[in-house]
Amino acid sequence: MTALLPEAPIFKATGVGCRFGGVIALDSVDFQVGPDEIVGLIGPNGSGKTTLLNVLSGIYRASSGSLEIDGKPSRFKSSRRLSRDHGLARTFQNIRLCPSLTVRDNVLIGMHSGFRWYDALWTGGRGSRERRSVERVEEILEFVGIADKRDEIATDLAYGDQRRVEIARALATNPRLLLLDEPAAGMNPREARVLVDLIKRIHDEREIAIVVIEHNMNVVMNTASRVMVLDAGLCIAHGDPKTVSSDPHVLEAYLGKRFRDA
Amino acid sequence: MLSFVPRPVIRVAAVALLVYAFLLPNLVQPYTIRVAATILVFTVFATGLNLILGFTGLLSFGHAAMFGAGAYISARLMLDTGMPLALVILVAVGGSAVFGLLVGLTSWRVGGDYLALITLGVGQIFYLYLNNANEVTGGATGLPGIPAGTFFGWDLSSIENVYLFILVATLVATGFAWLIGRSFLGRSFLAIREDEVIARAHGINVPLTKVVVFGIGSGIAGLAGVLQVLLLGFVGPATFTVDQSILVVEIVLIGGMATTFGPLLGSVLVIGSTEYLRSLADYRSMIFGALIVLILLWKPGGLVQILGIGDTRAGRFRSPFSLFRRTGSRPAAVEPVAEPPAPRAVPEEVRS
């Protein structure tokens, strides 16, 4: 199992726990992502997957354990600094787009880290950096395949397209590590296949490490090079997709004791 | 409503209106000029609030305090020093911007309805200060007899010239807000309004941006204060009550949040009707109250959206007017839960 772990992880979490009052959402989890990996994160509902992602991306504070990004402690870093300084981007389980803005504006929001607030005072939206950003947004929209919908209001799009806008917005931050929280939720099998391709292309062409939470096993098995299974805030299995999917603990967590040895 | 009118026609009409606005002093009575100037002053005032309320979704119910800060600072400077008007404007705008920054600091700790209460409190405190600090503000009588200024040789003693000066200032303020609105800064305001978690997760400095928008919005309101002083030649506390703060919120909401010309349209309707429909004064609040409810429910882009004469990024009912919104994370979308399989019907004969 240890042989699978990356040599020089971008992100390293050791014994991370997160509790809300008496609820232990994460008990103690070790987690690492290397620069050229796609890590799948699976587990039953309520097992702590999204909490782990929220802790990694600085939206929740870990109650215990240590977090390192690029070898520096990151437990108390804000999500803004993780995004701006360390290239960490994410999407959300329940699509969170800015509902009244166009697709292009939504993606442009991902490019804010390069701007200082006073830039606008003398360039008024016409500065060379802004123009370059708009060009880059075009390229990203092209890449995820929604360039023709750039001027539509984001929430008017179909569900699968909204997911892609979210991914585009995350890509706009120029990340090195992308956290995807159930990107295939609500997609039909065809859309899910397109998504698998997109995830692979993001990884291969843009050289971005990816952590993907997913219930759709097709997506996980076809993308992840390494899978980690959480249950009740603990890691119960870890390894390559094949091994994990036949692990008795995993079967038990998903299907109940009865199926464990079936 | 005007969406059937071709764009070029609207452009031509807008230019014609602008020309008319510049020729107005030669065409109408001084009273009408005065009303038009008041409308423009409130346009500038509302433009400042629009950045805070319309773009960033921060409820400020004490904006008359920033308006007043600009007015009193400029009045004091004009009375006590021989500063050139350009410098007076700079100091007054800067002063009210700093005041706004300080008030904006509270947005680090509170949001939504609580921020509304704090700004309301600031507005009230400021009004009481104006009313009672006799040595500085002249107390309830205010500061009368403020000399007319000259702006780089432009004599502002006649109402016509003051009107033209205010018109130019309005264009500058509106243009400034327009530039900000379409820049990255404006987009970060909108992002904060729509979803703070998203803004933070994409590298936007949310606390700093909130303070900045308070500073800019207050600076613009301070400019409106200076214009008010130039127009009236007098400042008194009665112009800076909480009622005035509510009035400007009305203007922003009716005109259209997060739009460029919303403040102007709102100001024309609200201030214009107050001046010309005095017989209906008793019903004013009722009519505008109902109008605001309707606008918030169906047309958050206000008059701009109703008339269909410009882009609206006013958002939907949920987000722009956060009185009705929880701050912090949004409730999770209801995920479909698979129904448990229905117990299979057991045939009668088997059961027996």
Side-chain angles (χ1 to χ4, degrees), chain A residues 80 96 99-100 105 112 124, chain B residues 182 184 187 194-195 198 318:
Chain A
R80 178 177 74 85
R96 294 178 86 145
S100 55
D105 276 349
H112 271 267
Chain B
R182 61 201 288 282
F184 263 71
R187 209 173 290 112
E194 305 268 312
D195 194 330
I198 285 183
R318 176 188 44 68

Side-chain angles (χ1 to χ4, degrees), chain B residues 72-82 136 142-147 233 235:
Chain B
Y72 272 90
I73 291 172
S74 60
R76 271 267 64 110
L77 290 176
M78 285 192 252
L79 279 172
D80 302 344
T81 67
V136 188
L143 302 169
I146 297 161
V235 274

Side-chain angles (χ1 to χ4, degrees), chain A residues 94-112:
Chain A
N94 313 299
I95 298 178
R96 294 178 86 145
L97 295 171
C98 297
S100 55
L101 303 187
T102 62
V103 169
R104 197 209 317 251
D105 276 349
N106 262 290
V107 179
L108 274 168
I109 282 171
M111 294 202 176
H112 271 267

Side-chain angles (χ1 to χ4, degrees), chain B residues 246-336:
Chain B
I246 307 289
L247 182 75
V248 76
V249 170
E250 268 177 38
I251 292 176
V252 171
L253 295 181
I254 290 176
M257 286 178 285
T259 58
T260 312
F261 295 107
L264 176 66
L265 294 178
S267 188
V268 168
L269 187 69
V270 175
I271 305 295
S273 69
T274 329
E275 290 295 332
Y276 286 108
L277 300 175
R278 284 197 189 277
S279 53
L280 291 177
D282 294 342
Y283 302 100
R284 221 194 105 246
S285 313
M286 215 171 77
I287 295 168
F288 285 141
L291 187 59
I292 287 174
V293 171
L294 295 179
I295 281 178
L296 284 178
L297 280 175
W298 285 293
K299 298 275 178 194
L303 289 177
V304 170
Q305 192 182 2
I306 293 170
L307 297 173
I309 51 172
D311 289 341
T312 163
R313 299 192 282 183
R316 310 235 156 129
F317 175 52
R318 176 188 44 68
S319 55
F321 200 56
S322 52
L323 263 185
F324 304 97
R325 180 184 70 175
R326 255 175 299 261
T327 50
S329 63
R330 197 184 291 183
V334 182
E335 300 233 329

Side-chain angles (χ1 to χ4, degrees), chain B residues 78 85 89 147-149 156 162 165-166 225-234:
Chain B
M78 285 192 252
L85 185 56
I89 291 177
L156 298 180
V162 169
F165 182 75
I166 291 175
V226 183
L227 301 177
Q228 170 97 333
V229 169
L230 292 173
L231 178 63
L232 300 179
F234 159 80

Side-chain angles (χ1 to χ4, degrees), chain B residues 48-59:
Chain B
L49 183 66
N50 190 25
L51 289 174
I52 301 173
L53 175 65
F55 277 85
T56 324
L58 299 170
L59 289 171

